[in-house]
């Protein structure tokens, strides 16, 4: 199984078109790895220890290069090709779990999961400008705008299991308002990525600020994390609360109090 995994990972690196980039990035050091791989293919490097060494070093260099290597390559791939690669990877996962991917109940699971995962992470493939569009309007309204109980579903980046809950979003216009549905779509944009709740809360607030430059933005989020419910401490009733305040909500006590009172009312 270890030899199978090693060969598969090296093949995946080759398929991703990263091998040459990684060799160049390491200024020749990776060249020795490539030579070892050739010798292995020719029968010159046969031990499992050497195969693991090749794989581990390649993994390390691949991790180091994600910012300017893997991401660039993946963006160039079609959705169908990405789904195919995820499907192959999930087939391997099932095998590592000592399951039989060919049995009836699992036969289509890898492809189903691939499609679902691409949907869960669709936020990587769109941006704020596309989401907001032309839904910005000149308006003299100067009091709080508050949208409550916006559902949130995301994947924790630490375990890739869901967390879900609700958030409340408020802003004070500065001569411009945004379509209410766009606040929900902004939440969706950032929640459909691998996330932690703290960052997700901040990104929603910063996106509203960027979109219409209001006098202030406040976001309150409460969520339940499956990584705490299904595994680890297994605390089924635990909830995590995060907040992000910008502008007048951060600097003016009465605005913060106004927002929190609205949150309390919406949470009853």
């Amino acid at each position: 199984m270890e030899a199978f995994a090693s060969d598969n990972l090296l093949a995946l690196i080759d398929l991703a078109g990263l091998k040459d980039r990684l060799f160049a990035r390491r200024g020749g050091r990776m060249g020795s790895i490539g030579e070892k791989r050739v010798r292995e293919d020719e029968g010159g490097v046969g031990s499992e220890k050497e195969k693991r060494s090749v794989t581990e070093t390649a993994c390390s260099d691949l991790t180091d290069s994600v910012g300017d290597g893997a991401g660039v390559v993946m963006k160039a791939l079609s959705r169908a090709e990405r789904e195919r690669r995820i499907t192959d990877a999930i087939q391997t996962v099932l095998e590592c779990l000592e399951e039989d991917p060919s049995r009836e109940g699992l036969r289509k699971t890898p492809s189903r999961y691939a499609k679902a995962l691409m949907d869960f992470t669709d936020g990587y493939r769109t941006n704020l400008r596309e989401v907001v569009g032309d839904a910005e309007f000149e308006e003299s309204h100067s009091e709080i705008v508050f949208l409550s109980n916006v559902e949130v579903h995301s994947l924790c980046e630490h375990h890739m299991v869901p967390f879900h809950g609700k958030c409340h979003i408020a802003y004070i216009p500065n001569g411009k308002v945004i379509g209410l549905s766009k606040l929900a779509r902004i939440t969706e944009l950032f929640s459909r990525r691998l996330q932690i709740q703290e960052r997700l809360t901040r990104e929603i607030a910063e996106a509203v600020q960027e979109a219409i430059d209001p006098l202030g933005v406040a976001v309150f989020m409460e969520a339940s994390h499956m990584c705490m419910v299904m595994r680890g401490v297994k605390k089924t009733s635990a909830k995590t609360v995060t907040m992000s305040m910008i502008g007048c909500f951060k600097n003016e006590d009465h605005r913060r109090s106004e927002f929190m009172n609205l949150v309390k009312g919406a949470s009853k």
Side-chain angles (χ1 to χ4, degrees):
M1 177 63 75
E2 288 181 352
F4 173 78
S6 298
D7 290 343
N8 268 5
L9 180 54
L10 287 165
L12 179 60
I13 292 172
D14 288 347
L15 282 172
L18 291 172
K19 185 175 68 175
D20 293 339
R21 295 173 65 92
L22 294 176
F23 290 175
R25 179 182 173 85
R26 292 301 174 180
R29 185 170 65 82
M30 287 291 292
S32 61
I33 298 172
E35 291 165 6
K36 286 180 70 176
R37 177 62 177 165
V38 170
R39 292 202 305 276
E40 180 183 329
D41 290 341
E42 294 173 348
V45 180
S47 74
E48 294 305 316
K49 182 177 180 180
E50 287 179 303
K51 289 182 180 180
R52 284 196 298 272
S53 175
V54 172
T55 302
E56 288 165 3
T57 307
C59 277
S60 173
D61 288 323
L62 179 58
T63 301
D64 291 343
S65 74
V66 162
D68 60 1
V72 172
V73 171
M74 290 300 122
K75 286 179 180 179
L77 296 180
S78 68
R79 184 182 182 109
E81 175 60 16
R82 296 186 200 193
E83 288 182 4
R84 186 191 67 76
R85 294 185 183 208
I86 295 171
T87 297
D88 290 346
I90 297 303
Q91 175 113 357
T92 300
V93 169
L94 291 174
E95 291 167 351
C96 290
L97 295 176
E98 300 180 28
E99 261 291 359
D100 177 11
S102 65
R103 72 176 175 85
E104 185 179 12
L106 293 177
R107 203 169 296 149
K108 294 184 179 180
T109 295
S111 61
R112 289 192 191 105
Y113 185 83
K115 293 179 187 300
L117 189 59
M118 290 296 287
D119 185 48
F120 296 157
T121 59
D122 196 50
Y124 288 120
R125 291 170 288 283
T126 188
N127 58 60
L128 180 62
R129 184 45 49 198
E130 291 174 348
V131 166
V132 174
D134 59 357
E136 305 169 32
F137 310 100
E138 300 294 329
E139 178 55 56
S140 60
H141 183 79
S142 59
E143 294 300 323
I144 192 169
V145 177
F146 180 76
L147 183 65
S148 66
N149 295 310
V150 179
E151 292 183 356
V152 173
H153 300 275
S154 191
L155 289 178
C156 165
E157 67 181 29
H158 299 145
H159 300 96
M160 286 184 68
V161 295
F163 65 92
H164 61 91
K166 293 182 178 180
C167 74
H168 311 282
I169 306 169
Y171 69 94
I172 305 292
N174 185 21
K176 186 183 292 187
V177 297
I178 188 172
L180 292 176
S181 69
K182 300 304 181 183
L183 296 177
R185 291 188 183 279
I186 287 172
T187 302
E188 191 85 347
L189 168 66
F190 292 103
S191 60
R192 285 187 174 274
R193 301 179 182 186
L194 301 183
Q195 279 287 7
I196 59 173
Q197 184 176 329
E198 297 89 337
R199 183 172 66 238
L200 175 57
T201 307
R202 174 179 53 79
E203 286 180 339
I204 294 169
E206 290 176 345
V208 176
Q209 183 69 32
E210 179 182 340
I212 54 173
D213 193 28
L215 297 176
V217 183
V219 178
F220 177 102
M221 186 178 297
E222 182 179 59
S224 175
H225 292 248
M226 291 301 102
C227 59
M228 287 185 62
V229 173
M230 297 175 65
R231 58 165 297 282
V233 294
K234 296 184 176 68
K235 299 301 181 185
T236 59
S237 60
K239 298 288 180 67
T240 301
V241 171
T242 50
M243 290 185 286
S244 182
M245 307 282 182
I246 297 175
C248 63
F249 287 106
K250 183 175 183 178
N251 302 322
E252 300 175 19
D253 290 342
H254 75 282
R255 286 300 191 188
R256 180 187 289 260
S257 296
E258 182 181 16
F259 172 67
M260 293 308 300
N261 286 334
L262 288 169
V263 169
K264 289 176 183 177
S267 301
K268 289 181 180 178

